[in-house]
Amino acid sequence: MNIHEFQAKDILRRYGVPIPPGDVARTPDEAKAIATRIGKAVMVKAQVHAGGRGKAGGVKFCPTPDVAKEKATAILGMDIKGLRVEQVLVAEAADIGTEAYVGIIVDRATKKAVFMVSAAGGIDIEEVAATTPEKIKYHPVDPRYGLRPYEALQLGFFLYKDAKQAKAAAQIMRQLWQAFLDSGCSLAEINPLVVTPAGEVIAVDAKMVIDDNELDRKPAIAALRDESSEAPSEVEARKANLTFIKLDGNVGCVVNGAGLAMATMDLVKFYGGEPANFLDIGGSSNPEKVVNALRIITADPNVKCILFNIFGGITRTDDVANGIVTATKANPLKVPIVIRLTGTNEEIAVKILQDNGFSASSDMDEAVQRAVELAKGGK
Ligand code: GDP
Ligand code: MN
């Protein structure tokens, strides 16, 4: 789950990370009022779940409250990477000397959380990683001890020569680590970590991604979810208890089991197609889940063909077949459908489908190839 910059900053402040004061606004007048209250130059910053807001024109310097209102008018409603800006953070503008990067990610290869730090922070950290990777230091954290003070200090000195600044950065990294652990993050980053001309080290931007599996035991964090900032299809799928991730391709996939869903996506790519989504209808399928899945997938205008790939174990393939029939009776399909099913109650399922004008195959390769062809406009 993504949270907004202002939410991540609220969390980090509680851990002692120095962050310029600010508040969130939903209208230009609110933005002006916050700027007036701060009483200094402010930044107006789009709150969307996307990076690179600065480059997209979603981060603006405002010397006066009137300019803050003007910039908020421009930014609210703006489209950044397909996401509509519903709110802006109005934060006291910092004087920037240098910009560094500090982040923690979960590295699946080492099964550890890894600190990534670089003195070359700011808006182009992806390019730094690609072209001059030696400017980034990677430091895996031993989960038994956390980030120990001397490790934090080493990282601090990788960023800054000045001992005071290195120590300040080390403390911020320890605070970031604790916030990362306590909040159940899969990613936490400060970019830029700024040294002001006065020599203070402060966090000017913050990003946190929460591991969805942590949400049940962290209700306060789960409450930070902002559904208005998420893809509507993903919100709907979550409510229907489907595991769904929207992708950019045109083959809509309905699969049971995460492993088979991954294998199906691989096979779609192998045959030259692009999946429109990852969707796992889960083990025990009831027809209603299939109906929901079809509604969500067919709402995506990119989808040019629907592929069912069902391996019946606990899942009864006749349930799936009934779901397909119910869903398509209520909402006739505008795109072709390819159905592959095998396993529990396969004969019954095939009969149900045939009686309703569908054909089904039991061969996965054949079905995927066919779906890719149809999505490309083939006959
Ligand atoms: P992002 O583009 O989504 O990562 O948004 P950021 O909050 O990181 O802002 C992008 C860039 O805008 C930063 O790297 C800074 O160069 C600049 N910026 C952001 N906040 C401030 C600020 O308070 N003062 C100044 N002078 N520049 C800022
Ligand atoms: Mn940033």
Side-chain angles (χ1 to χ4, degrees):
M1 178 182 83
N2 286 304
I3 61 174
H4 290 298
E5 173 191 4
F6 76 89
Q7 296 170 317
K9 284 179 164 175
D10 284 347
I11 293 174
L12 292 178
R13 268 196 204 99
R14 293 206 290 274
Y15 287 82
V17 177
I19 293 169
D23 210 344
V24 69
R26 289 188 162 270
T27 66
D29 283 322
E30 277 173 30
K32 182 175 171 179
I34 296 165
T36 307
R37 202 164 67 228
I38 290 174
K40 294 180 188 158
V42 296
M43 304 298 295
V44 170
K45 310 180 72 178
Q47 299 297 287
V48 283
H49 297 324
R53 296 164 304 163
K55 279 188 180 168
V59 176
K60 294 287 183 201
F61 176 78
C62 310
T64 66
D66 282 318
V67 178
K69 180 174 174 176
E70 180 196 319
K71 298 294 181 194
T73 308
I75 294 173
L76 285 163
M78 186 187 249
D79 187 284
I80 297 180
K81 298 182 182 167
L83 300 162
R84 200 184 131 85
V85 181
E86 306 281 358
Q87 30 187 359
V88 290
L89 170 64
V90 182
E92 184 181 319
D95 282 335
I96 294 188
T98 61
E99 300 192 29
Y101 174 93
V102 172
I104 312 171
I105 52 152
V106 175
D107 177 29
R108 290 183 185 275
T110 54
K111 299 177 187 165
K112 282 181 180 147
V114 177
F115 262 87
M116 290 170 60
V117 305
S118 175
I123 53 178
D124 284 321
I125 189 67
E126 285 84 3
E127 200 179 314
V128 173
T131 56
T132 48
E134 70 279 4
K135 288 188 179 165
I136 300 178
K137 189 174 177 68
Y138 295 84
H139 178 81
V141 179
D142 187 322
R144 290 172 296 181
Y145 310 119
L147 185 71
R148 287 172 286 192
Y150 77 90
E151 295 173 294
L153 201 54
Q154 275 173 352
L155 293 176
F157 274 110
F158 182 76
L159 294 179
Y160 307 119
K161 285 199 183 72
D162 180 272
K164 224 175 112 221
Q165 289 166 18
K167 278 184 195 162
Q171 187 172 3
I172 290 171
M173 284 187 257
R174 300 242 297 155
Q175 291 161 337
L176 182 68
W177 168 254
Q178 202 57 47
F180 173 92
L181 266 191
D182 294 348
S183 313
C185 291
S186 56
L187 175 149
E189 65 177 30
I190 298 173
N191 184 34
L193 181 72
V194 160
V195 179
T196 66
E200 277 172 309
V201 184
I202 58 172
V204 163
D205 185 16
K207 178 179 162 86
M208 283 183 167
V209 180
I210 314 294
D211 184 332
D212 288 345
N213 296 311
E214 294 272 3
L215 295 173
D216 276 343
R217 58 176 184 172
K218 297 195 167 66
I221 299 286
L224 298 176
R225 186 185 289 283
D226 174 11
E227 286 189 345
S228 71
S229 298
E230 298 179 327
S233 54
E234 294 191 2
V235 175
E236 216 191 317
R238 197 170 53 247
K239 289 190 172 142
N241 266 319
L242 301 163
T243 310
F244 174 88
I245 295 161
K246 191 184 166 347
L247 303 168
D248 296 331
N250 58 10
V251 180
C253 303
V254 185
V255 187
N256 69 315
L260 187 59
M262 300 285 276
T264 306
M265 289 166 52
D266 280 349
L267 210 55
V268 167
K269 287 218 163 213
F270 179 79
Y271 285 119
E274 290 292 337
N277 64 278
F278 170 98
L279 190 153
D280 172 11
I281 61 170
S284 67
S285 66
N286 54 19
E288 202 191 326
K289 274 198 170 179
V290 177
V291 172
N292 287 330
L294 267 176
R295 190 183 60 248
I296 291 162
I297 287 186
T298 52
D300 177 353
N302 289 337
V303 169
K304 297 290 179 263
C305 179
I306 294 165
L307 168 66
F308 269 77
N309 187 12
I310 305 296
F311 186 85
I314 297 169
T315 304
R316 292 171 36 180
T317 58
D318 55 324
D319 275 349
V320 175
N322 278 323
I324 295 173
V325 171
T326 311
T328 52
K329 268 197 184 131
N331 278 308
L333 287 176
K334 297 187 185 72
V335 294
I337 182 169
V338 176
I339 304 165
R340 180 263 179 166
L341 40 81
T342 187
T344 310
N345 291 355
E346 183 178 331
E347 294 79 16
I348 308 173
V350 170
K351 171 118 181 37
I352 294 169
L353 289 171
Q354 282 173 351
D355 288 350
N356 287 280
F358 295 99
S359 60
S361 107
S362 60
D363 185 293
M364 177 158 156
D365 270 274
E366 198 181 289
V368 172
Q369 255 176 302
R370 180 87 187 114
V372 170
E373 239 168 66
L374 286 168
K376 286 181 176 161
K379 289 275 177 268

